[in-house]
Amino acid sequence: MDFSNETPIYLQIMNRLKSDIVTGKIKMGEKLMSTRELAVSLRVNPNTVQRVFKELENEGICFTKRGMGTYVTEDEATIALLKEQLANDLMMVFIDGMKKLNYSLVEIIEKVRSYGEVNK
Amino acid sequence: MNTMIKIVDLHKSYMTKKALRNVNLEFQSGKIYGLLGPNGSGKTTLMKVIADLHQQNEGEILICGEKPSHKTRAFVAFMPTENFIYGWMKVKEALQFYKDMYQDFDMERAEELIQFMELDKNQKVASLSTGQKARLKITLTICRRAKIYMLDEPLNGLDPISRTKIKECIIDQFDSEGVMIISTHLVNEVEQILDEVIFIGGGEIIISGETETLRAERGKGLEDIYREVFANA
């Protein structure tokens, strides 16, 4: 995984895991790698991974079974909400960029439609 | 978190040259520190003073509350840049040598790590490549059950595969009760594994702090911060 300088590393890892969960690459209820395993595979500090797990737990996306490891939630509503959030984040960046180019909301919608038709 | 090393107003000079001046630092357990600076900035001198291989001229160092001595050497594992393993030894003899020298050397762990590092136990040290020698050196150092690990330039002059192996080894073997200090100027290589960084130049501490905080404050990566700090060095 390549990291950018703009965002804290733990956030970049969180986002990667979130999108893997939303797309089903990591299944609901699945056990995640241990802190150490994930740290070695991403070649990052184990403390960073620990923080990732803690934040994901705070957001209700993961939970820890004592002495067993960290698991992805089995709650479908939480995952659906997460998907919504990720989509909103992308949308915000996109719309923001378009508005800076002086597109109105109506124009943006039209643009998306025609772009979608051309790039099916 | 405990303070493992405390350094107060440290000065060190060789004959005519000031090597360290007014160094004040604290190292906490459970963290990986990067000691970053160009050649000749004082990284090695600082490590050697902590390792009780050099003596300071002024100031104080406390390692787990003790002044550097044979007592602290027993729990400080230092990997110097030099090749410290006899060429005539086989890899397995080097392990045994370390086992004899250091009571805290964990042979079982070393046997595992030798495999991970893809080293042949029966090969002569003299016939190892540069990368293989570096991998052996780090294996020997990290397999001590020490409290403080100091690696002086562990990635210098190595091929990408060896660098990756060594980084993975550092991450995997890192003990959350201990302290790890890595000196390097290959900032990009270690950026993601450092909790804290210490920029050292001309024997003085220029900046020290949490990696993530520095990145956020300055809106750039460590390499760019390094360039900025040492632009005139």
Side-chain angles (χ1 to χ4, degrees), chain B residues 148-162:
Chain B
I148 291 155
Y149 296 88
M150 291 190 293
L151 310 175
D152 198 2
E153 303 280 10
L155 304 170
N156 243 12
L158 301 184
D159 61 281
I161 309 277
S162 291

Side-chain angles (χ1 to χ4, degrees), chain B residues 85-91 123-129 133 136:
Chain B
I85 318 153
Y86 297 113
W88 51 265
M89 284 184 175
K90 288 181 178 170
V91 169
Q123 202 174 336
K124 278 243 167 70
V125 170
S127 69
L128 297 174
S129 69
K133 269 185 198 137
L136 176 59

Side-chain angles (χ1 to χ4, degrees), chain A residues 5 7-9 36 43 45 47, chain B residues 30 168 172 174 192-193 195:
Chain A
N5 284 331
T7 327
I9 292 158
R36 203 155 286 256
R43 295 185 199 118
N45 189 308
N47 293 326
Chain B
E168 287 175 352
D172 188 46
F174 176 60
Q192 271 95 44
I193 60 178
D195 287 292

Side-chain angles (χ1 to χ4, degrees), chain A residues 10-100:
Chain A
Y10 80 93
L11 281 179
Q12 297 180 51
I13 300 172
M14 272 178 81
N15 281 334
R16 161 78 167 272
L17 287 176
K18 281 178 178 176
S19 81
D20 282 356
I21 290 168
V22 161
T23 56
K25 240 175 156 177
I26 303 175
K27 307 262 175 324
M28 281 193 275
E30 193 176 316
K31 184 176 190 275
L32 294 173
M33 278 192 230
S34 73
T35 303
R36 203 155 286 256
E37 283 165 351
L38 189 56
V40 171
S41 84
L42 296 173
R43 295 185 199 118
V44 300
N45 189 308
N47 293 326
T48 308
V49 174
Q50 210 157 43
R51 173 148 190 209
V52 167
F53 285 165
K54 207 179 94 195
E55 303 269 348
L56 288 176
E57 220 172 297
N58 287 344
E59 292 184 20
I61 296 160
C62 294
F63 64 97
T64 305
K65 286 190 205 169
R66 197 173 281 258
M68 303 269 288
T70 304
Y71 294 78
V72 179
T73 179
E74 289 174 36
D75 182 37
E76 285 179 35
T78 306
I79 307 279
L81 189 68
L82 177 62
K83 188 170 180 178
E84 192 71 20
Q85 280 169 356
L86 291 182
N88 280 344
D89 289 347
L90 284 176
M91 202 60 106
M92 205 172 72
V93 174
F94 168 69
I95 294 196
D96 214 44
M98 291 300 275
K99 279 187 172 164
K100 279 191 184 131

